[in-house]
Amino acid sequence: MASCSEKEQNNDIEQKIQELVGQMTLEEKVGQMTQIKLTYFLNKGKWDEEKFKETIIDKKVGSVLNNDYSAIEMERWHKIINKIQDAATKETRLGIPVLYGIDAIHGTNYTQNATIFPHNIGVAATRNTRIAHQIARITAAETRASGIRWNFDPVLGVAQNPIWPRYEETFGEDPFIVEEMGVAAIGGYEEDGLKSPASVASCIKHYIGYPLSQSGKDRTPAYLPEIFIKEYLEPPFKAAVENGSMTLMVNSASINGVPIHVSKKYLTDILKKKWGYKGLVVTDWKDIIYLYTEHKVARNNKEAVKMAINAGIDMSMVPNDFTFYDDLIQLVREGEVPMSRINNAVTRILRVKFATGLMENPSVEEEAIKNFGKAEYKETALNAAQQSLVLLENINKALPLDKNQKVFITGPAANTLAPLHGSWSYTWQGDKEELYPKHIQTIKEAIEQEIGKENVICPAQNDFNHKDNFSLRGANNASTIILCLGENAYAETPGNIDNLDLSENQVKLAKEASAKGKKVILVLAEGRPRIVNTIVDKMDGILLAMRPGEKGAEAIADVLFGNYNPNGILPFSYPKQSGNIITYYHSCREAKFYDPQWPFGHGLSYTTFKLGNINLNQDTISFTDTLKIAIEVKNTGQRKGQKAIDLFTRDSVASIIPPQKRLRRFTKIELNPGESKKARFFLTSEDLQFHNSSLNNIAEEGEFQVMIENQKQSFYLKK
Ligand code: BGC
């Protein structure tokens, strides 16, 4: 809650904003609502001065986004940002600075030498919100050091279908994890207020329902019942709004035939009115244009602009022309878009500019630069990568491997960096091996460092599809084969696939490797769970790496050779068959069909843990009571280890079909061999609520169960 002086300050800023809006012409206002991409006037280092002047001085755009093709040095960013801000503040009538926006999705991926972390899917596997917070903190610092104060992150979509190509950008299938990790990330981005030279404005996206298209293809329609949207999709966004995120990006696709970009219901009625959101709503890439060229809900650009702005869009990521600007000005003149809507949009945009300190000092801040490239960031990246790894199989303690042996390493992810990084890594697609910094290790290099070059045989090349990556030449001279399989990097639509199976040539390689009669360890570097059911039982160990980022290879070597005891657990149900995609929160009737390769929450360790009984302080609670839950966890093995614990509840009987279980809490504890600790949790009736058939969020009297792994305990919720 805001303190008195904070409130006064806010009132003061609100007054300043109103004064400024009062001085603005229609053209200046619509300029603020226009966002143009950097490459409109700067291409591969070459400035088009005429287009620069058109954008910043003549049209006075409110925002510029994106990068000049690939990551550039921080100093180059400074020149770009300062040139834009100089023109905006010194060569326009009102001197309003530009809000520059970027995708720093898993680290400041468009600035050279910044730190790259695991993608969200791996962060979710850590079950450690501190990691989400630290990653966001460092990303904020390095982004702000680059001169940029607005980051289009975090992604708060709940994913269910892994075929969707942006799966790696999500926190997985569970809405509670999405919410907790998302809120932690926002806290990291915006810590100490947006004026802090180590913070950036977060941008929650893509509101709402983006990952759940019917076809699984990027940016295609979703058909979703209201009750499902309210129960599973809205909570992370609502929580993010309550936690102060000041900007929001809209889902490019549609729900029930309505593109979200024209949905007054979602943009104005729910987001702005019901949830009281005061921040700015930006479209996604070209999404007003797509309303008439692709969605076909508008006849032309002008109609599309009118529909979107009247629905509640505040800023258009046009991003490559001034059609939005021209049409919106005309629409206001013709009375088709009310001036009140324009004033409201501009107020929201200026609010972010004031909050981020741009109005006082839009240039790159000396204070911010100091926060770039600190050595400790690499430690966080390593720790995050280590905690994100999920040990899926370990037959007869095949892992960890003995360091005194010869290993044979092969597969397309063995000697490449793109599969360890995925999307938004130095370029949008992340697939340009030659653009990765030389200091980042491939799995082959990290293992060489670990056990010595003389112990590594590896024919694999630095190019995902190179034929040598599918070779077993030399394998006979080693005692263990490490197979590094998965997916090359991709982002968004180019990552669409028609088949979730791991590619045939990789499956063939795995089968041939297993036929060698040696120990075979599979490492999966992939953005989504590719189906591996034909090779699973041929492997002695399987380590899921997803997209672990720049310290990923080191983390993998650490786990394979026992320097690090794995502790990540799955934030999704890893499917066994492409025709059987069922989330863990399925109904009782679906229970017999829930047959994933590995269930939600699965993940092994090199030590063993024993859970005691679940202890409840009461067996009956009222609607206002707090249920106290404790469970003793003991490390019964020989190694120190961290244990991630998921706590679920089940509603035994409800007025609508209750899910088999819902995740309500998670935590992680560290235990020395022989050590026991109690994990404690608190629940109230609010945690037991669900949306009933009248769409009311309620808890119903009756019996519930608390579930942690195979432990269960019942209690009763009584009026
Ligand atoms: C993506 C967004 C991203 C935007 C700006 C779009 O294609 O969907 O997630 O923030 O581009 O780069």
Side-chain angles (χ1 to χ4, degrees):
M1 208 191 282
S3 67
C4 254
S5 72
E6 252 176 88
K7 267 193 198 150
E8 274 163 28
Q9 254 178 16
N10 284 345
N11 287 343
D12 192 36
I13 289 174
E14 289 300 314
Q15 204 184 331
K16 280 189 185 150
I17 293 171
Q18 288 329 309
E19 279 167 18
L20 192 49
V21 174
Q23 293 171 44
M24 290 167 82
T25 63
L26 173 61
E27 288 78 1
E28 283 165 338
K29 290 175 186 172
V30 172
Q32 286 301 310
M33 295 169 70
T34 305
Q35 189 184 48
I36 294 291
K37 65 175 188 181
L38 179 66
T39 47
Y40 181 70
F41 52 76
L42 173 66
N43 227 308
K44 298 208 171 152
K46 249 186 97 191
W47 290 86
D48 182 329
E49 294 295 341
E50 226 166 85
K51 282 186 164 174
F52 175 69
K53 179 175 170 291
E54 178 194 18
T55 309
I56 308 295
I57 301 170
D58 301 343
K59 301 289 201 280
K60 303 172 191 57
V61 300
S63 180
V64 174
L65 88 152
N66 221 320
N67 69 331
D68 182 11
Y69 175 66
S70 64
I72 53 173
E73 304 89 27
M74 181 176 64
E75 294 71 26
R76 182 112 187 86
W77 269 121
H78 294 168
K79 289 200 178 117
I80 293 171
I81 299 294
N82 284 340
K83 179 172 162 120
I84 291 173
Q85 300 299 22
D86 273 359
T89 53
K90 296 183 190 144
E91 295 181 53
T92 67
R93 189 177 75 98
L94 295 170
I96 302 173
V98 165
L99 178 62
Y100 201 102
I102 197 93
D103 295 281
I105 301 298
H106 57 142
T108 306
N109 43 256
Y110 286 147
T111 306
Q112 283 174 12
N113 300 316
T115 301
I116 308 289
F117 300 95
H119 264 291
N120 284 345
I121 197 72
V123 175
T126 69
R127 292 298 197 279
N128 186 343
T129 51
R130 267 200 321 270
I131 290 197
H133 180 269
Q134 285 168 351
I135 291 175
R137 213 51 230 122
I138 296 170
T139 304
E142 297 205 310
T143 301
R144 184 99 173 203
S146 307
I148 300 171
R149 304 188 194 182
W150 186 19
N151 184 13
F152 305 134
D153 196 65
V155 168
L156 297 183
V158 173
Q160 291 191 331
N161 183 355
I163 213 155
W164 187 58
R166 305 190 73 170
Y167 200 78
E168 67 196 32
E169 293 181 61
T170 75
F171 292 109
E173 75 185 30
D174 179 71
F176 180 70
I177 297 183
V178 174
E179 177 174 329
E180 291 287 297
M181 293 292 180
V183 167
I186 293 164
Y189 286 134
E190 307 196 343
E191 198 164 85
D192 302 329
L194 297 182
K195 282 218 169 94
S196 155
S199 294
V200 290
S202 62
C203 181
I204 53 177
K205 70 186 190 184
H206 309 77
Y207 177 75
I208 188 175
Y210 185 15
L212 297 169
S213 65
Q214 192 114 330
S215 66
K217 298 288 190 283
D218 191 32
R219 298 183 146 77
T220 59
Y223 294 90
L224 302 168
E226 196 72 27
I227 193 166
F228 174 83
I229 295 170
K230 293 224 168 314
E231 180 65 22
Y232 293 91
L233 308 187
E234 284 186 3
F237 283 100
K238 185 162 179 277
V241 167
E242 284 162 7
N243 279 276
S245 180
M246 284 197 78
T247 83
L248 171 145
M249 192 186 292
V250 179
N251 165 16
S252 284
S254 57
I255 296 181
N256 304 338
V258 182
I260 311 300
H261 283 83
V262 298
S263 171
K264 181 168 171 294
K265 171 177 154 187
Y266 283 111
L267 300 180
T268 298
D269 300 345
I270 296 178
L271 176 71
K272 293 182 176 176
K273 291 201 176 139
K274 192 166 157 207
W275 297 349
Y277 179 65
K278 297 264 180 301
L280 84 84
V281 174
V282 63
T283 72
D284 200 345
W285 191 265
K286 219 175 159 180
D287 268 317
I288 292 185
I289 291 172
Y290 289 143
L291 289 172
Y292 69 97
T293 59
E294 296 194 355
H295 290 301
K296 308 286 181 192
V297 295
R299 273 176 291 259
N300 50 42
N301 190 61
K302 194 168 166 193
E303 195 174 31
V305 172
K306 174 180 156 185
M307 289 166 82
I309 299 303
N310 284 339
I313 294 290
D314 301 315
M315 181 185 278
S316 171
M317 191 186 288
V318 190
N320 201 26
D321 58 48
F322 289 94
T323 51
F324 167 80
Y325 176 92
D326 293 336
D327 281 337
L328 185 52
I329 291 174
Q330 231 187 326
L331 284 162
V332 179
R333 290 208 177 111
E334 289 163 4
E336 297 290 331
V337 173
M339 189 57 103
S340 56
R341 179 70 269 279
I342 300 291
N343 288 343
N344 181 271
V346 176
T347 298
R348 289 167 182 272
I349 293 162
L350 292 177
R351 216 172 256 149
V352 181
K353 296 193 177 188
F354 273 95
T356 49
L358 281 169
M359 301 304 286
E360 292 146 40
N361 171 24
S363 313
V364 179
E365 305 140 297
E366 285 305 318
E367 273 298 292
I369 300 173
K370 288 186 205 144
N371 294 324
F372 191 84
K374 293 191 179 163
E376 69 249 32
Y377 299 168
K378 303 294 176 197
E379 283 163 40
T380 304
L382 178 62
N383 180 34
Q386 287 168 332
Q387 293 203 35
S388 75
L389 301 179
V390 183
L391 182 60
L392 295 171
E393 296 288 349
N394 194 11
I395 309 296
N396 297 327
K397 298 198 178 155
L399 290 167
L401 297 171
D402 183 355
K403 294 186 191 179
N404 297 308
Q405 62 165 322
K406 272 207 173 10
V407 300
F408 178 81
I409 312 175
T410 189
N415 201 11
T416 44
L417 292 170
L420 298 174
H421 289 74
S423 54
W424 309 106
S425 302
Y426 306 102
T427 59
W428 172 47
Q429 291 296 308
D431 61 349
K432 297 275 174 295
E433 288 289 334
E434 67 279 13
L435 295 179
Y436 280 82
K438 299 287 165 271
H439 68 86
I440 303 183
Q441 291 182 322
T442 64
I443 297 177
K444 170 199 176 227
E445 289 160 352
I447 293 178
E448 281 177 348
Q449 181 172 303
E450 191 56 50
I451 63 171
K453 269 194 175 166
E454 64 286 2
N455 282 326
V456 173
I457 310 164
C458 178
Q461 303 291 317
N462 185 229
D463 165 12
F464 193 87
N465 289 313
H466 198 286
K467 67 173 185 356
D468 290 356
N469 298 349
F470 299 86
S471 158
L472 286 163
R473 216 174 340 107
N476 292 341
N477 300 324
S479 14
T480 298
I481 299 177
I482 300 176
L483 267 178
C484 305
L485 308 183
E487 297 184 308
N488 202 358
Y490 52 80
E492 303 181 31
T493 303
N496 280 340
I497 48 173
D498 296 326
N499 185 344
L500 205 51
D501 293 347
L502 190 67
S503 70
E504 268 176 39
N505 53 356
Q506 298 191 73
V507 169
K508 182 166 167 277
L509 176 67
K511 288 183 178 167
E512 287 167 2
S514 98
K516 292 270 176 201
K518 311 200 176 244
K519 189 188 267 192
V520 185
I521 305 297
L522 171 61
V523 177
L524 287 168
E526 54 189 13
R528 56 198 148 194
R530 299 299 292 257
I531 286 168
V532 288
N533 63 22
T534 56
I535 57 172
V536 166
D537 58 7
K538 298 182 170 42
M539 302 293 123
D540 296 282
I542 304 181
L543 182 65
L544 178 64
M546 302 303 299
R547 303 295 202 195
E550 72 165 85
K551 288 288 179 185
E554 259 175 87
I556 290 166
D558 282 341
V559 168
L560 294 182
F561 292 93
N563 303 337
Y564 188 82
N565 188 358
N567 52 60
I569 64 174
L570 289 177
F572 53 83
S573 307
Y574 198 118
K576 190 191 282 178
Q577 308 279 354
S578 57
N580 187 335
I581 309 284
I582 299 180
T583 60
Y584 84 82
Y585 40 88
H586 52 267
S587 69
C588 179
R589 276 233 164 141
E590 289 158 302
K592 55 179 174 289
F593 306 115
Y594 182 68
D595 182 28
Q597 191 77 57
W598 297 285
F600 180 88
H602 174 75
L604 306 172
S605 165
Y606 293 153
T607 187
T608 47
F609 298 98
K610 193 169 176 332
L611 299 185
N613 296 329
I614 295 174
N615 217 301
L616 306 181
N617 70 324
Q618 283 162 262
D619 55 15
T620 301
I621 62 164
S622 74
F623 277 67
T624 51
D625 279 348
T626 298
L627 181 68
K628 296 182 185 149
I629 302 158
I631 187 164
E632 190 162 87
V633 188
K634 183 169 185 191
N635 182 345
T636 49
Q638 307 301 317
R639 285 193 60 145
K640 184 169 158 174
Q642 294 188 54
K643 172 81 178 151
I645 298 168
D646 281 347
L647 179 145
F648 302 89
T649 63
R650 173 188 285 169
D651 196 341
S652 298
V653 177
S655 60
I656 62 159
I657 298 171
Q660 285 295 84
K661 52 182 185 176
R662 284 289 299 273
L663 185 69
R664 302 302 184 191
R665 296 287 181 273
F666 57 83
T667 189
K668 200 174 213 179
I669 48 179
E670 188 170 65
L671 293 163
N672 287 314
E675 191 184 3
S676 299
K677 273 185 197 161
K678 273 212 169 109
R680 291 176 198 281
F681 307 93
F682 304 94
L683 294 181
T684 67
S685 65
E686 227 179 278
D687 295 299
L688 308 171
Q689 288 176 344
F690 63 92
H691 287 87
N692 68 6
S693 48
S694 322
L695 300 181
N696 293 322
N697 196 22
I698 54 147
E700 288 174 351
E701 191 174 72
E703 191 200 46
F704 289 82
Q705 276 148 31
V706 177
M707 304 152 85
I708 299 173
E709 293 188 7
N710 51 4
Q711 302 292 327
K712 265 188 209 147
Q713 203 60 256
S714 298
F715 69 95
Y716 202 88
L717 174 67
K718 203 167 169 47
K719 282 234 169 75

